[in-house]
Amino acid sequence: MSGVRFPDNFRLEPLRREHPRNRFRCGEGPVDDWLSTKALQDQEKRLSATKVLLDPGGVIAGYYTLAIGQVEFDDLPAEVTKRLPHRVLPVAVLAWLGVATEHQGQGLGRLLLAQALRDCYEAGQTFAFLAVILDCLNDAAKTFYRRWDFEELPGHPYRLFLSAKRLAAMMEGK
């Protein structure tokens, strides 16, 4: 997977105060609420990083938020934890991803996810982690992420993971 190419005149940039966060609507209340009320605060506190995709009119067409986290050793499947110490383990977290309703069905969600995974992969060259973890709001989201080889964490049907090894293979074209 090479660099992600967004449609002409769309631009991806870090979330800033002047972006029209309150106008974003994707059809999922928690995703809308996060962007309008919490994303910038958490970014300023260095708890997460949000990137917004702006359409030609400067309106937020979509966004994603990344963070780092930890999971308990026993929450990851055996194929990921084989020969690792029994302790909390580092993960990258895809905390939020949304596409504005007027831009849905254009493949922007796929492009945003590809870029989020690219960002995780590149960060993983400096800060090691075992997997990218995310929580799905519903079955539709789960179906979307499963197409990208995300798997269920044992005992957590709406918490999915993509191993760092699988991510590297995707990014390196293996």
Side-chain angles (χ1 to χ4, degrees), residues 83-95:
R83 292 182 275 165
L84 294 178
H86 263 72
R87 61 178 176 86
V88 293
L89 299 167
V91 293
V93 179
L94 175 55

Side-chain angles (χ1 to χ4, degrees), residues 3-83:
V4 176
R5 182 174 160 85
F6 290 99
D8 290 341
N9 298 320
F10 280 69
R11 64 187 192 281
L12 187 71
E13 55 188 52
L15 179 64
R16 293 191 316 264
R17 187 164 302 284
E18 61 268 18
H19 289 135
R21 304 179 315 275
N22 294 332
R23 293 179 27 204
F24 181 82
R25 297 288 178 274
C26 72
E28 294 290 343
V31 180
D32 298 344
D33 182 61
W34 167 260
L35 182 61
S36 67
T37 65
K38 297 177 184 75
L40 190 62
Q41 291 174 21
D42 272 19
Q43 185 167 282
E44 288 171 347
K45 293 174 184 172
R46 308 224 17 102
L47 298 173
S48 63
T50 298
K51 288 189 180 176
V52 293
L53 181 64
L54 301 172
D55 72 11
V59 174
I60 297 174
Y63 80 96
Y64 62 87
T65 300
L66 298 174
I68 57 170
Q70 296 179 319
V71 296
E72 294 293 331
F73 178 92
D74 292 332
D75 285 346
L76 290 169
E79 68 265 15
V80 175
T81 59
K82 192 174 9 181
R83 292 182 275 165

Side-chain angles (χ1 to χ4, degrees), residues 108-122:
L108 295 181
R110 178 180 56 78
L111 294 173
L112 286 166
L113 177 58
Q115 184 61 53
L117 293 176
R118 163 107 3 235
D119 288 355
C120 288
Y121 172 76
E122 290 173 1

